[in-house]
Amino acid sequence: MELLYFGDKGWGDELFFATLMTIAVSITAMIIGFIFAALFTPLKLSNNKILIIIGNSYTTVIRGVPELLVIYLFFFGGSGAIMFVASIFGYNDYIEINAFLTGSFSIGIISGAYSTEVFRGALQSIDNGQFEAAKVLGFNKYIYFFKIILPQMLRLAIPNLSNVWQITLKDTSLISVTGLVEIMRQSYIAAGSTRDPLFFYSFAAVLYLLLTYLSMKIINRLEIKYSRGY
Amino acid sequence: MDFDLMFTSFPKLLAATIVTLKLLSASLFFGLFIGLFFAILRLDKNIFINKFAYVYSYLFRGTPLLVQIFIIYFGLGQIEYLRSTFLWVILKEPYWCAIIAFTLNTGAYTSEILRSAFQTIKPGIIEAGKSLGIPNKIIFYKIQIPIAIRQSLPAYGNEIILMMKGTSLASTVTLMDLTGVAKYIISTTFKPIEVFIVAGGIYLFMTFIINNVIKFLEKKYSFNS
């Protein structure tokens, strides 16, 4: 247990901050994923064939290719792409992008593909009459979407979004390969310097279990909140 | 776009695909048995057996696959006792460690898929078998298992694809699978997009094949035909 002391003697504080980092990356990735889902869900549901193909290829490619490969693409390709854009504006120095941003962005793109599918499914299972009634009653676009469609969609989407959250949370372990100090990376460092990998990786597993357990509890509350009246 | 690189890296990536397929098929094969075993335990009336199977699936589904591989590959070697047994022959090989981790992981998910499939079998079907005087064992092997397999095909197809993507983690324990070789080429040439297109294309092709095989099986074993 000494290994978990806070301060210089143990790894407790390091692992605590690493856990916070994992949570921060997961939440950022989830939000980035929602932005992607908000962009691509309408494409998948549109009537235009080209837009549908664009929407479908996003979800098919990202969900069919290993997460690690996507992370490598952004990790190695990210700074290159940004330097290319910068060189257009006349800036030619080396730019290194933040590991947190690369990590959240690549996990966010992955999580976005899953969220897109969830939102599409939820929108499609809302009764058509709801859309028609809202239009017939002459609500403006804001009320139409935010007060009528969105609440109904969220109720249907939350159980599946909780799966997406669990996937995203576990996927963040993969960005340890880019050097961002989250739970996995910190355990790797601790295991290397104490030569006790069994303890630290098992402890990492416990931390992940704790995170998935706690988030399940919170999501269950949300589910109850959004299914009031059903 | 560096098309030359794409052409020269294609055969290397294709050779690495064989490692990926080997890892995938071995872990799916063993994982199916483990999954079936734990699914049966989950349905057991004894609360301890039941809980044991639940804890197994909870642990492996609640933690990232990367942690599981690292515990098995880096962690288990630390136990002195294990080093002296014959198990060490297996556990010192990253290849077998990866297969063990993948097997236990997919076994946990498969057990959940099969459990829910067993639970959706209508009791009337089992009762019909009993009233026809068919022995319990035969009801289980010839009636319940075939129905459960049919029920779980769509979910199991997803699991195969998830596992295929999961095998990419073998590259973190020094195995040169498709992702491992792709990363190596990227880090030596700094051309991530080209390599991603080729390696991603191979993965997508495998996803496509798996999807179609599952669809074919679903049709073949659908109840109406």
Side-chain angles (χ1 to χ4, degrees):
Chain A
M1 278 323 269
E2 286 170 18
L3 291 171
L4 290 179
Y5 284 162
F6 278 61
D8 291 338
K9 273 185 182 169
W11 294 87
D13 47 345
E14 281 88 350
L15 282 166
F16 176 72
F17 288 117
T19 310
L20 291 185
M21 181 58 100
T22 291
I23 297 171
V25 174
S26 307
I27 292 174
T28 321
M30 204 68 189
I31 291 169
I32 294 174
F34 283 157
I35 296 171
F36 272 92
L39 288 173
F40 282 97
T41 313
L43 294 188
K44 285 192 83 144
L45 294 172
S46 73
N47 292 322
N48 186 324
K49 265 205 176 141
I50 297 167
L51 294 182
I52 294 176
I53 290 175
I54 295 173
N56 281 343
S57 39
Y58 167 60
T59 51
T60 321
V61 169
I62 296 294
R63 293 188 311 151
V65 168
E67 295 82 358
L68 206 52
L69 203 59
V70 178
I71 290 170
Y72 286 140
L73 173 72
F74 287 105
F75 178 55
F76 289 106
S79 56
I82 287 187
M83 281 197 296
F84 176 72
V85 174
S87 70
I88 295 174
F89 293 101
Y91 185 84
N92 285 319
D93 280 339
Y94 180 75
I95 303 171
E96 194 184 302
I97 37 173
N98 186 302
F100 179 83
L101 285 179
T102 339
S104 316
F105 192 75
S106 37
I107 300 288
I109 281 193
I110 296 162
S111 131
Y114 290 98
S115 299
T116 305
E117 289 295 328
V118 170
F119 286 136
R120 181 190 57 83
L123 269 177
Q124 279 177 334
S125 44
I126 296 175
D127 192 31
N128 253 336
Q130 297 286 336
F131 293 93
E132 286 161 9
K135 270 184 192 153
V136 166
L137 290 170
F139 288 130
N140 63 35
K141 272 192 174 160
Y142 171 80
I143 296 182
Y144 172 74
F145 184 73
F146 285 98
K147 294 282 170 186
I148 296 168
I149 303 303
L150 193 68
Q152 299 193 61
M153 190 183 82
L154 280 182
R155 181 184 73 87
L156 295 165
I158 282 179
N160 291 323
L161 282 182
S162 106
N163 284 337
V164 177
W165 165 255
Q166 306 270 9
I167 293 172
T168 307
L169 189 65
K170 288 190 273 171
D171 277 351
T172 58
S173 68
L174 300 179
I175 48 176
S176 58
V177 296
T178 67
L180 181 72
V181 185
E182 39 68 76
I183 296 179
M184 244 0 242
R185 184 73 196 167
Q186 191 61 64
S187 311
Y188 182 83
I189 297 168
S193 69
T194 59
R195 295 175 186 252
D196 198 350
L198 185 62
F199 174 78
F200 280 105
Y201 290 133
S202 308
F203 191 70
V206 172
L207 287 176
Y208 279 110
L209 277 178
L210 201 70
L211 288 180
T212 45
Y213 176 78
L214 288 178
S215 46
M216 271 312 271
K217 288 272 164 202
I218 297 171
I219 292 165
N220 281 345
R221 283 224 176 137
L222 276 180
E223 231 171 279
I224 293 168
K225 190 185 159 198
Y226 276 96
S227 52
R228 267 182 310 187
Y230 282 90
Chain B
M1 272 296 174
D2 186 346
F3 288 105
D4 278 349
L5 176 70
M6 288 167 85
F7 276 115
T8 50
S9 58
F10 185 64
K12 289 180 209 158
L13 290 167
L14 216 52
T17 310
I18 294 169
V19 180
T20 292
L21 286 176
K22 270 187 193 166
L23 288 169
L24 177 65
S25 47
S27 41
L28 285 177
F29 178 77
F30 297 124
L32 197 57
F33 286 102
I34 290 195
L36 188 61
F37 177 69
F38 278 97
I40 294 168
L41 293 191
R42 273 300 283 284
L43 298 170
D44 201 285
K45 284 191 184 73
N46 186 324
I47 196 156
F48 290 108
I49 294 177
N50 197 320
K51 269 269 145 35
F52 169 68
Y54 175 72
V55 168
Y56 161 72
S57 97
Y58 189 85
L59 285 180
F60 279 89
R61 292 182 313 133
T63 53
L65 182 53
L66 191 64
V67 180
Q68 294 159 22
I69 294 184
F70 277 16
I71 289 178
I72 290 170
Y73 182 63
F74 295 112
L76 289 185
Q78 206 185 324
I79 305 171
E80 284 297 319
Y81 172 72
L82 267 181
R83 284 171 171 267
S84 56
T85 59
F86 77 99
L87 274 173
W88 185 239
V89 183
I90 297 172
L91 285 174
K92 70 178 179 191
E93 294 286 339
Y95 183 73
W96 286 108
C97 285
I99 288 183
I100 292 171
F102 296 154
T103 301
L104 290 173
N105 186 275
T106 183
Y109 284 96
T110 310
S111 79
E112 288 296 317
I113 294 169
L114 288 174
R115 177 191 58 86
S116 68
F118 275 121
Q119 281 174 339
T120 53
I121 297 177
K122 289 197 185 82
I125 294 174
I126 298 162
E127 283 161 15
K130 276 185 184 157
S131 64
L132 288 170
I134 302 172
N136 276 342
K137 241 188 182 165
I138 295 183
I139 290 181
F140 184 70
Y141 286 111
K142 294 280 170 183
I143 298 174
Q144 277 178 285
I145 287 190
I147 295 178
I149 288 175
R150 169 62 189 88
Q151 290 277 27
S152 51
L153 264 180
Y156 192 64
N158 278 336
E159 173 54 23
I160 295 177
I161 290 169
L162 285 180
M163 208 53 234
M164 185 196 77
K165 297 199 292 172
T167 57
S168 68
L169 298 190
S171 63
T172 58
V173 288
T174 70
L175 280 175
M176 288 314 254
D177 75 319
L178 184 45
T179 303
V181 171
K183 191 213 165 187
Y184 176 76
I185 299 176
I186 292 175
S187 58
T188 47
T189 60
F190 283 102
K191 296 244 161 65
I193 296 171
E194 286 86 346
V195 181
F196 179 81
I197 290 172
V198 179
I202 296 174
Y203 274 114
L204 281 180
F205 181 71
M206 290 196 281
T207 314
F208 176 77
I209 300 278
I210 294 167
N211 254 333
N212 278 303
V213 169
I214 292 291
K215 262 187 201 154
F216 169 77
L217 288 177
E218 266 176 57
K219 239 187 203 157
K220 193 176 165 195
Y221 293 107
S222 69
F223 295 125
N224 303 327
S225 68

